[in-house]
Amino acid sequence: LELFVMKDVEGTGEFPGDFRNGFIDFGWDNFTEEEKASKRGIELNNGRAAQMGILALMVHEMLDNNPYIINDLLGAPVPFNV
């Protein structure tokens, strides 16, 4: 997708990171400016939450050298970096 669909065409995006380029719309142009700002804010918060989740997994792995939290909770730890 990044090679063919998600190319950044200079000057066509409404905001930084807008890679639609007239190809994929999903009704974005039908929203008001307030709705667009709200949806961008929601997407930023979701991205931040995902980054914190990944950070938590990385910290957990470094603490006890076990990357699989669910296996550890269920009593079946996986030998990792042994």
Side-chain angles (χ1 to χ4, degrees), residues 5-76:
V5 177
M6 304 301 277
K7 289 183 179 178
D8 188 16
V9 178
E10 295 294 325
T12 60
E14 292 181 34
F15 51 88
D18 182 10
F19 294 116
R20 291 178 295 147
N21 300 327
F23 184 71
I24 300 173
D25 186 15
F26 297 120
W28 181 256
D29 294 330
N30 298 331
F31 295 130
T32 64
E33 290 301 317
E34 293 82 24
E35 288 174 321
K36 288 179 182 180
S38 171
K39 289 185 180 293
R40 281 197 302 268
I42 290 168
E43 186 64 24
L44 278 173
N45 286 336
N46 288 340
R48 290 175 181 143
Q51 290 174 357
M52 293 304 292
I54 295 297
L55 178 64
L57 290 173
M58 291 173 12
V59 167
H60 181 273
E61 180 179 336
M62 292 305 296
L63 287 176
D64 66 355
N65 227 8
N66 186 5
Y68 305 109
I69 297 172
I70 191 71
N71 289 352
D72 194 32
L73 293 175
L74 295 175

